[in-house]
Amino acid sequence: MAKVIAPFKIKGTLDDLNYVVTADGNNYVRMKGKTGITAAQFKANPIFDPIRQQAQEFKYCVHKSKIFRSLASNFNTIAKDGSFAGRVNKLLLEILEEDLTESKGKRTLDQALKTQEAKEALLYFESNKLRPLRQVLKTTATIIPEKQTITLTNFNSQNDLDWPEGANEVRFCMATANWDYQNDSFETCYSDEIILNKESETQTLTLTTNKPLENHLHLTFLSIYFATKERKKVKLLHRKFNSCTIVAYYTSTDETLKPLNP
């Protein structure tokens, strides 16, 4: 750093020189420092390897999440909150950590989802975190994913649900999705809706879907959404009041199936 000796003070930048007047009145000049790094330097310097690896895995999961978010797209239009896409990315990044066969930056869902831990991480993922199924449904469902069936025994709509204000009708629907996460494809089968009003009598509800043609990873979704009915006019409530949840998974190699325990 050089000191300026002159009958006047100089402050500012001239080409590569910065002129500085300090608080005590001294006048200095110094070369502008170089900031940032070039793309070539970033790529070549191993100190940035963790950043590059993290970015690579984030890009990979963002790509995979587009398919994941489509698995139950019919439900997501009626039960979804604003953080849905970001939470899917976070979920897939967490699942990716179960791949212990590859180094960071090269891990894949194909390897990760061979583990029981990774598949269990999918359970109870909510499209709408504002209305988790354990809050909405106050009873236990019997789920047999290999038979694509959900049963609610002795279900009483008024007592066994957390009803949003103004709602007097509820609709149940399930979906079975085959997720081929390696080839970025899927097939989803939906059940018929079961529609009840708030005063419906106690009964047993059974939801069932067709079986997807392929058998990669089957995910079972349960959707519960509410409406206001006046005479013949029905208005579905905003999606923030509704629920859509992954309640079971199944592959032909799974020995233990996970039931829904609200």
Side-chain angles (χ1 to χ4, degrees):
M1 180 183 294
K3 185 176 181 180
V4 179
I5 301 175
F8 51 83
K9 305 294 185 183
I10 305 174
K11 185 177 182 180
T13 301
L14 180 63
D15 293 332
D16 290 333
L17 300 177
N18 280 333
Y19 292 86
V20 180
V21 179
T22 64
D24 57 7
N26 291 321
N27 199 187
Y28 293 98
V29 60
R30 57 192 174 193
M31 296 286 292
K32 287 195 298 183
K34 293 182 178 180
T35 59
I37 60 172
T38 65
Q41 290 172 326
F42 178 79
K43 186 175 181 180
N45 195 332
I47 198 173
F48 297 113
D49 283 350
I51 299 175
R52 287 193 294 269
Q53 293 162 356
Q54 184 176 0
Q56 182 66 26
E57 291 195 344
F58 181 77
K59 180 180 178 182
Y60 171 82
C61 288
V62 167
H63 170 72
K64 294 293 183 181
S65 74
K66 293 178 182 178
I67 297 296
F68 185 88
R69 298 198 308 269
S70 299
L71 294 178
S73 58
N74 288 9
F75 293 163
N76 294 336
T77 60
I78 55 178
K80 183 175 68 172
D81 70 88
S83 68
F84 177 56
R87 289 189 294 106
V88 172
N89 294 339
K90 182 175 182 291
L91 173 67
L92 297 187
L93 282 167
E94 291 173 353
I95 289 174
L96 210 60
E97 294 178 359
E98 298 298 332
D99 178 2
L100 304 180
T101 64
E102 295 287 351
S103 60
K104 187 173 182 180
K106 297 180 180 179
R107 297 180 293 191
T108 66
L109 292 180
D110 187 37
Q111 290 297 323
L113 283 167
K114 290 179 180 179
T115 68
Q116 202 77 359
E117 292 79 7
K119 286 180 282 191
E120 288 181 359
L122 294 164
L123 286 173
Y124 310 119
F125 180 79
E126 306 282 353
S127 295
N128 177 21
K129 71 174 184 178
L130 303 175
R131 292 279 285 170
L133 188 63
R134 287 186 172 102
Q135 172 187 321
V136 175
L137 184 63
K138 299 179 180 180
T139 187
T140 300
T142 300
I143 305 170
I144 309 177
E146 74 274 27
K147 294 184 179 180
Q148 302 83 50
T149 302
I150 297 176
T151 304
L152 292 165
T153 304
N154 296 326
F155 180 79
N156 182 279
S157 59
Q158 184 165 7
N159 297 329
D160 293 336
L161 288 174
D162 179 25
W163 286 83
E165 185 177 355
N168 56 16
E169 184 177 274
V170 64
R171 303 182 179 207
F172 294 84
C173 192
M174 72 168 286
T176 303
N178 176 69
W179 182 25
D180 183 354
Y181 41 81
Q182 183 176 18
N183 297 308
D184 292 331
S185 63
F186 70 96
E187 177 194 2
T188 304
C189 301
Y190 292 90
S191 72
D192 293 332
E193 289 183 346
I194 294 179
I195 304 175
L196 302 176
N197 60 51
K198 198 170 184 177
E199 288 76 29
S200 292
E201 61 183 15
T202 299
Q203 58 192 286
T204 294
L205 311 181
T206 301
L207 297 162
T208 186
T209 74
N210 292 329
K211 182 178 180 180
L213 296 178
E214 301 293 334
N215 188 32
H216 296 91
L217 174 59
H218 286 187
L219 297 177
T220 304
F221 294 80
L222 175 60
S223 181
I224 303 175
Y225 47 108
F226 296 87
T228 299
K229 183 176 181 180
E230 295 180 3
R231 297 184 179 86
K232 293 183 179 181
K233 185 178 180 180
V234 177
K235 181 180 179 181
L236 294 180
L237 267 60
H238 189 276
R239 63 191 185 188
K240 68 181 179 182
F241 296 107
N242 302 320
S243 176
C244 173
T245 311
I246 298 175
V247 294
Y249 63 81
Y250 175 74
T251 68
S252 58
T253 59
D254 284 327
E255 295 180 359
T256 303
L257 305 175
K258 299 295 178 179
L260 171 64
N261 294 307

